[in-house]
Amino acid sequence: MGEELVSIIVPIYNTSLYISDLIKSVQEQKYKNYELILIDNGSIDNSKEICEKYLEKDKRISLFIKKNEGVSKARNFGLSKANGKYIYFVDSDDILNEDCILSFIKEAENYDLICSGYYEMFVNKIIEKKIINFRNEIKKEEILMGVLNNNNIRGFLWNKFFKKDIIDKYDIKFQEDIKFLEDALFVCEYISHCNKICVIPQCLYYYRMRKSSSVYSSNKIESVRKAYIKLEKYYKNINEIYWYNYLMFYYNNKLNLNSDEKYIKNFWKVMFARNISKKCKIKLVIYRFNPKIFKTVLKLKIKQNELFV
């Protein structure tokens, strides 16, 4: 195993309460050959000042100050500054396990993409361990299913380890006009150019869940709609998975699809699909005919766990 440089890219926006925890967790990595690229994305708190204190003491850290033009533009900027053989994207309010980079590096020579499990935590308490229910090498179709399906692969960036030469060769970038699901679009485009993909069982990342609103604004709905349209091309061979998630989004946001034959047809396609679980089908039926019931149950679960989604 060579000491290849890893570029860790972190967009920052008003996370002064958490950014120190993230930087410390990077500095405590067992694997030491990395560069930490911090992009302050127009923060109006003191995130920048906190980062500057670390910058003075650690030459592996660089800080760039940008105006707030969205996380996709910040990540693209980070890619343009990256010198590493490998790319790892991290959110500024999360924490890395000390074995995180080392565990990825051990597999990186033999695979184009590596995925890992992660922990969900609320405040500073771990509430759930998310292990990916695959082992070792998996097929493209399996991981694409995982990007949209809730099997812990998901469309997140931070539980995946990328090769920069693949990103550069195929000019893979974050789509700056997409504000939601932009990470899933990047992941799917990258997967389309992979030959070998690996899953490792370890949970290497602590994903901090914070209070936020679950209400979709009209702008967010339109942005998610655009993202789903762009995602469709990656799911031609497993389109039941795509349509399940697509329909759940629309029913969840009370958009009227019942008069559209195209969507009704795909509803029944999902209902008869073998690769959609019975639980998911029941959920979709509830969403279609009475989404209030599902949302009431969801609110009760959220209240019990003291979580806000």
Side-chain angles (χ1 to χ4, degrees), residues 21-241:
D21 290 343
L22 181 276
I23 295 174
K24 287 177 184 176
S25 75
V26 173
Q27 291 179 318
E28 291 168 1
Q29 290 297 298
K30 291 180 181 177
Y31 190 86
K32 301 298 182 183
N33 192 23
Y34 63 80
E35 58 176 0
L36 178 57
I37 301 170
L38 305 173
I39 306 114
D40 187 280
N41 202 22
S43 295
I44 56 175
D45 62 2
N46 64 331
S47 295
K48 178 173 75 73
E49 287 75 19
I50 293 170
C51 292
E52 286 173 341
K53 292 178 181 178
Y54 289 94
L55 191 67
E56 295 169 2
K57 300 176 183 178
D58 193 336
K59 293 182 179 179
R60 296 171 297 181
I61 301 174
S62 55
L63 174 64
F64 300 92
I65 311 300
K66 307 287 288 182
K67 64 180 181 179
N68 188 1
E69 296 179 296
V71 68
S72 291
K73 192 154 192 172
R75 286 178 179 141
N76 284 336
F77 178 82
L79 282 172
S80 73
K81 297 296 180 182
N83 299 301
K85 181 175 181 178
Y86 302 105
I87 301 291
Y88 187 45
F89 296 101
V90 177
D91 288 351
S92 61
D93 53 352
D94 295 336
I95 300 171
L96 277 59
N97 180 291
E98 66 179 1
D99 292 312
C100 181
I101 304 300
L102 181 61
S103 298
F104 282 130
I105 281 288
K106 285 179 179 179
E107 304 291 344
E109 191 65 34
N110 298 317
Y111 296 96
D112 298 324
L113 178 67
I114 306 113
C115 307
S116 78
Y118 58 94
Y119 298 99
E120 287 182 348
M121 66 179 189
F122 184 65
V123 189
N124 291 315
K125 180 182 178 182
I126 295 173
I127 58 167
E128 193 163 358
K129 187 176 183 179
K130 297 286 190 176
I131 298 173
I132 299 175
N133 296 318
F134 292 98
R135 290 293 181 271
N136 303 323
E137 189 170 339
I138 64 173
K139 298 177 182 178
K140 284 185 185 182
E141 289 78 11
E142 290 175 314
I143 196 166
L144 283 170
M145 286 174 66
V147 169
L148 288 184
N149 253 12
N150 188 14
N151 66 358
N152 302 333
I153 291 177
R154 309 295 294 273
F156 303 131
L157 296 166
W158 36 255
N159 66 336
K160 299 174 183 68
F161 201 67
F162 303 90
K163 285 185 173 178
K164 190 169 188 292
D165 61 350
I166 293 178
I167 293 172
D168 290 344
K169 180 178 179 180
Y170 297 101
D171 195 27
I172 304 171
K173 289 185 170 60
F174 292 91
Q175 299 185 39
E176 296 173 9
D177 61 324
I178 300 293
K179 305 301 180 185
F180 302 94
L181 294 180
E182 77 290 335
D183 47 359
L185 278 167
F186 182 93
V187 169
C188 286
E189 179 63 21
Y190 185 91
I191 290 170
S192 71
H193 301 293
C194 290
N195 292 315
K196 297 181 72 178
I197 301 167
C198 174
V199 167
I200 52 179
Q202 298 98 314
C203 292
L204 302 175
Y205 192 90
Y206 296 86
Y207 169 48
R208 195 189 304 268
M209 303 177 73
R210 294 194 280 149
K211 294 180 181 181
S212 63
S213 171
S214 62
V215 177
Y216 273 18
S217 67
S218 58
N219 287 340
K220 183 171 183 179
I221 289 171
E222 183 55 34
S223 184
V224 174
R225 187 201 307 264
K226 286 167 65 177
Y228 268 116
I229 290 169
K230 293 190 176 188
L231 278 169
E232 186 176 3
K233 70 176 182 178
Y234 303 109
Y235 288 86
K236 290 178 180 178
N237 297 325
I238 46 174
N239 60 7
E240 293 90 351
I241 300 293

